[in-house]
Amino acid sequence: MTATLDLRSDTVTRPTPAMRQAMAEALVGDDVYLEDPTVNRLQETTAELFGFEAALFVPTGSMGNQICVKLHTQPGQEVLLDVRAHIYNWELAMPAAFSGVLPRLIQTANGHPTWEQLAAAIQPKTYYRAQTGLVCLENTHNMAGGTIMPVAQFREICEQAHAAGLKVHLDGARIFNAAIALGLPVAELVQGVDSVMFCLSKGLGAPIGSMICGSREFIERARALRKMLGGGMRQVGVLAAAGLVALAESPAKLAVDHENARFIACEIAELPGVLLDPASVVTNIVIADVSGTGMTATTVCERLAYRGVLAGAVSTYEVRFVTHYDVDTVSCRTAVQAMRRVLIDLD
Ligand code: TLP
């Protein structure tokens, strides 16, 4: 059977008709000369929405994260990260390759370190130890299953880290999922952090692009680094136009994705050999541990694909399902049915 139902990621979303129309009609100019009016509007809108002085459009979330890591650190420093952080696991060792920093990993239950855990990982201030330079947080936390960092925990980390002379960067690729689930404006979820990256191209559905926010001075330096990386784009207003539609129209749709994820989680948690607490699923990501089934995640995904459902093997025994607006509630039922057949009917 041909795979038709794609739950591998919310990156697979395609631009909506409104986005395509905005792209076709976008006013453009050369953004390297800062002359693209649509990019400028997207950056101003974003900065205002997030409560920062300035924002910058970048091609990908990875580039945005790595620009921020580089700007906040010196080579030879350490960066504190949760062990499952995207910046550490999925960005091709760029903290080491690009910034010359060493990730110091923290084991957490749900992807979100407490200040106590971070404080214990800060290196003593002595010349013969590498110095800690930066804390990186992730909200929602992708590989912990879309978990949300409590606002009070986040604020405490920002305050204490600053008091300890550390910068804090937030990988907020899916910060709108957290905001919708909590019923809070994104500005409240990022208040106090030094920089934030979020993606237009995941649940918000834009075809390409992420944003970084920071102080005016930080964003000026970020613009230069983006150019060094080959990310100085020209008439990129055609993409920014889709981003503006994404910001205006997509957050309101995310609650449905969350309901669909909860539905998938509740159903597959009942299947034999699956380890998953449905109560932990609060946004659009479901990660099922299939070690009890006697199959690897890759085998489960291959068998699901045979039944027309694509899911992701994100570790040896973890299968990830990500809901998004291109997959409706009926399709989620089909996905659950396919999982049941893979694990029970074995046909
Ligand atoms: N995540 C992708 C894969 O890379 C795993 C996905 O399918 O979820 N931060 C977080 C938390 C992310 O989940 C991602 C992408 C990024 C950064 C990077 O964004 P891009 O793909 O635009 O570089």
Side-chain angles (χ1 to χ4, degrees), residues 8-11 59-63 65 86 90-91 138 140 142-143 171 173-174 197 199 201-202 210 320:
R8 285 172 303 169
S9 182
D10 45 10
T11 58
T60 65
S62 302
M63 188 192 284
N65 276 336
H86 193 279
W90 299 83
E91 298 184 15
E138 188 174 313
T140 64
N142 185 351
M143 292 301 156
D171 176 346
R174 296 183 180 82
M197 181 286 293
C199 296
S201 61
K202 300 206 163 49
S210 295
R320 185 180 72 153

Side-chain angles (χ1 to χ4, degrees), residues 271-272 307 337-347:
L271 299 176
R307 286 165 179 79
Q337 207 48 39
M339 190 68 170
R340 192 185 306 278
R341 297 191 65 161
V342 167
L343 298 190
I344 300 179
D345 302 342
L346 297 173
D347 58 348

Side-chain angles (χ1 to χ4, degrees), residues 298-311:
T298 304
T299 304
V300 170
C301 288
E302 280 167 5
R303 294 186 181 183
L304 278 172
Y306 179 72
R307 286 165 179 79
V309 174
L310 297 181

